[in-house]
Amino acid sequence: FGRLSVLTASPADRLKAVFNMDALKKDPELLRSLLELAKGLSVESPAKPAAKPAAPKDRSLLAQKLESKFMRDISVEDGQAFAPGEKFTKIWRVVNCGEIAWPANTSLRFIGGDNLGHVERVVINRSIIPGQAVDLKIGMIAPSTPSRYVSYWRLYTPDGERFG
């Protein structure tokens, strides 16, 4: 589960917020002046490819028996837009759909992409019995540069083995 993508406001949306677009359409001289000023500006747009999640390694018998299922987003739908630098809380609802309890200190860990949470892991301090749902919550901050960002998160045993 654990994939989140967010958007920050596009340059066009930010320009629309700064300039009266109707006034620019009605005044060709004002538009020409704006375009002339823009010619002298340089633009740097660093492309940052999202890292791919790490390949799975051999798993223990415990990790093979632990199962999870993503139920729904409680907050922040996939692809939701935020203002640059805006703080938000992402909450995923996940259920233990296996036959054994997740041990206490199971964690949700950042595994790749853009770390919007600025944390590496969130620990679940109690065990989660089969059939029980848990809300996994991470405070995040939208990056300052407008773009599309993707963050990958997975469940891990207390011994550091991925499952679910």
Side-chain angles (χ1 to χ4, degrees), residues 58-72:
D58 291 336
R59 301 182 327 147
S60 72
L61 189 57
L62 172 65
Q64 290 175 33
K65 290 183 178 183
L66 295 173
E67 296 182 34
S68 69
K69 180 180 177 186
F70 167 77
M71 297 299 290
R72 66 185 180 104

Side-chain angles (χ1 to χ4, degrees), residues 93-157:
R93 178 159 296 155
V94 181
V95 67
N96 177 349
C97 61
E99 296 179 8
I100 63 171
W102 301 349
N105 299 317
T106 291
S107 61
L108 178 67
R109 295 187 187 184
F110 170 74
I111 62 164
D114 303 290
N115 190 350
L116 306 175
H118 305 282
V119 296
E120 294 299 317
R121 79 171 97 188
V122 175
V123 176
I124 305 167
N125 294 319
R126 57 186 165 67
S127 70
I128 305 297
I129 62 172
Q132 183 180 9
V134 63
D135 290 348
L136 304 172
K137 177 174 160 179
I138 301 173
M140 296 187 169
I141 302 171
S144 58
T145 304
S147 188
R148 180 172 188 241
Y149 296 89
V150 180
S151 190
Y152 296 97
W153 298 79
R154 291 298 298 258
L155 288 169
Y156 279 78
T157 68

Side-chain angles (χ1 to χ4, degrees), residues 7-68:
L7 302 171
T8 53
S10 72
D13 289 337
R14 291 188 0 238
L15 280 173
K16 288 176 187 173
V18 172
F19 295 102
N20 180 332
M21 301 309 283
D22 290 330
L24 287 175
K25 289 176 188 174
K26 292 176 185 175
D27 188 346
E29 188 58 38
L30 180 61
L31 181 57
R32 274 194 280 285
S33 295
L34 180 61
L35 292 172
E36 195 59 39
L37 282 171
K39 285 181 185 176
L41 301 175
S42 64
V43 178
E44 291 182 26
S45 180
K48 179 176 63 165
K52 292 182 181 177
K57 54 185 175 180
D58 291 336
R59 301 182 327 147
S60 72
L61 189 57
L62 172 65
Q64 290 175 33
K65 290 183 178 183
L66 295 173
E67 296 182 34
S68 69

